[in-house]
């Protein structure tokens, strides 16, 4: 099941893609707001990790599968990703480039 499209339908119908996109669009890193004072200390994320980065990495995995990719594109995924391309965070930029590369390889860009 890992790295296959077997669970795509369940991810789409359960709203998982919308939840990940919501994490991306409401993240303090994405909105420019300062992160909460306790960010990273009790959230279970290590240094350099954040909900935004984890969501972007996961979305990068999902956008390789047709059903997930089509749903993401219908949710303005391309525009959301594009709006983060100028992030000052190098890891965010790397994940955005990874997503854009996967979309391009699939002919979705």
């Amino acid at each position: 099941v890992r790295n296959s499209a077997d669970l795509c339908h369940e991810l789409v119908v359960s709203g998982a893609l919308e939840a990940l996109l919501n994490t991306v669009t409401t993240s303090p890193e994405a909105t420019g707001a300062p992160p909460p004072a306790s960010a990273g200390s009790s959230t279970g994320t290590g240094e350099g990790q954040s909900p935004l980065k984890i969501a972007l990495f996961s979305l990068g995995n999902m956008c390789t599968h047709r059903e997930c990719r089509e749903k993401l594109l219908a949710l303005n995924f391309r525009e959301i990703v594009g709006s983060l391309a100028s992030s000052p965070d190098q890891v965010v930029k790397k994940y955005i480039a990874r997503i854009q590369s996967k979309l391009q390889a699939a002919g979705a860009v």
Side-chain angles (χ1 to χ4, degrees):
V1 173
R2 185 168 185 226
N3 295 325
S4 75
D6 291 351
L7 298 176
C8 285
H9 181 73
E10 287 81 6
L11 291 169
V12 169
V13 298
S14 72
L17 302 177
E18 289 91 338
L20 284 168
L21 282 176
N22 185 56
T23 299
V24 168
T25 59
T26 61
S27 165
E29 290 172 278
T31 64
S38 63
S41 61
S42 64
T43 60
T45 59
E47 187 171 325
Q49 294 181 350
S50 70
L52 173 64
K53 293 171 188 171
I54 294 166
L56 287 173
F57 189 83
S58 297
L59 288 165
N61 292 338
M62 292 177 190
C63 73
T64 62
H65 305 291
R66 182 193 52 78
E67 187 173 0
C68 289
R69 182 177 55 251
E70 288 174 357
K71 179 64 174 180
L72 287 168
L73 292 172
L75 295 168
N76 297 315
F77 186 55
R78 190 177 298 121
E79 291 79 8
I80 292 167
V81 167
S83 72
L84 294 171
S86 61
S87 171
D89 187 305
Q90 293 304 308
V91 175
V92 170
K93 282 184 177 181
K94 179 174 87 171
Y95 291 168
I96 294 297
R98 177 177 174 259
I99 289 168
Q100 291 172 328
S101 174
K102 289 183 178 198
L103 290 175
Q104 186 174 15
V109 175

